[in-house]
Amino acid sequence: MAVLRSLPRHGHAAIFDRTWYGRVLVERVEKLIPPTRWRQAYDEINSFESQMVANGTVVIKFWLAVSKAEQLRRFQEREDSPFKQYKITEDDWRNRSKWLAYHTATEEMLAHTNTLLAPWYVIPANDKRYARVEVLKNIVLTLEGLDKQKVLYSEPPVPQQSSEIL
């Protein structure tokens, strides 16, 4: 599995972009797998992340919530800019037409994979600079809290619903 080869060594960091969430997002919405398979993936994801934490990995998960209107603005900007056209494809437009299905899948993913060991941080991301600062702040706060966090929380934090942000 490519993900396992990419896991960081002790003392190192790695950034993954939805790597093991494809089954509960893209594969679900595009109907590439049956519902039983993507539902099963929630437990597999939680188990995998739990194993990573048990082996000393700090898992920090972010969902950058962009509104439908902001996504459209960014898509149009990419199409209009010769320097950004490579960032937009027909698949992007096709997937945009499935906004509601992706939104529903995202809400369920956040609810089913938010755990004590690997909580989600939902970041409003219409403003890119704000989103970047919030991500960095949460990384720093999490890493600073590692020495203080000798006992696990009794309940996972409840992720803010992305629909509340949009």
Side-chain angles (χ1 to χ4, degrees):
M1 174 189 260
V3 171
L4 293 178
R5 287 191 301 270
S6 302
L7 291 177
R9 296 187 328 249
H10 180 72
H12 290 78
I15 298 173
F16 298 96
D17 182 9
R18 299 175 307 224
T19 305
W20 49 87
Y21 285 89
R23 283 176 288 150
V24 298
L25 291 174
V26 176
E27 293 177 24
R28 170 187 173 169
V29 172
E30 299 298 326
K31 298 181 179 11
L32 300 174
I33 57 176
T36 54
R37 185 67 188 105
W38 60 257
R39 286 187 185 109
Q40 176 185 349
Y42 294 129
D43 290 334
E44 293 169 358
I45 289 166
N46 291 335
S47 176
F48 176 61
E49 291 174 351
S50 176
Q51 290 173 35
M52 287 195 307
V53 171
N55 285 305
T57 300
V58 177
V59 178
I60 310 172
K61 302 184 298 194
F62 296 97
W63 184 263
L64 303 180
V66 177
S67 70
K68 190 174 185 180
E70 177 62 13
Q71 184 191 57
L72 176 60
R73 188 194 70 72
R74 290 180 187 181
F75 278 19
Q76 290 170 334
E77 180 183 311
R78 288 173 182 170
E79 278 195 336
D80 294 341
S81 170
F83 301 108
K84 294 184 178 182
Q85 287 174 350
Y86 74 93
K87 292 183 173 185
I88 189 87
T89 68
E90 290 301 319
D91 283 342
D92 293 320
W93 288 107
R94 183 183 56 78
N95 291 339
R96 183 176 156 68
S97 71
K98 299 177 182 183
W99 177 271
L100 184 57
Y102 274 103
H103 181 74
T104 300
T106 299
E107 293 292 329
E108 289 181 23
M109 175 200 71
L110 292 171
H112 289 291
T113 61
N114 183 55
T115 65
L116 281 171
L117 299 174
W120 277 103
Y121 297 90
V122 179
I123 308 293
N126 283 352
D127 179 327
K128 289 182 182 183
R129 181 168 293 165
Y130 171 83
R132 290 172 182 152
V133 169
E134 285 301 303
V135 166
L136 292 172
K137 279 192 336 192
N138 280 286
I139 291 170
V140 168
L141 289 171
T142 299
L143 296 178
E144 285 179 343
L146 290 179
D147 289 336
K148 300 170 191 161
Q149 185 186 359
K150 300 294 182 194
V151 179
L152 293 177
Y153 300 107
S154 60
E155 295 180 27
V158 177
Q160 184 178 9
Q161 297 295 307
S162 61
S163 59
E164 293 173 13
I165 296 170
L166 305 178

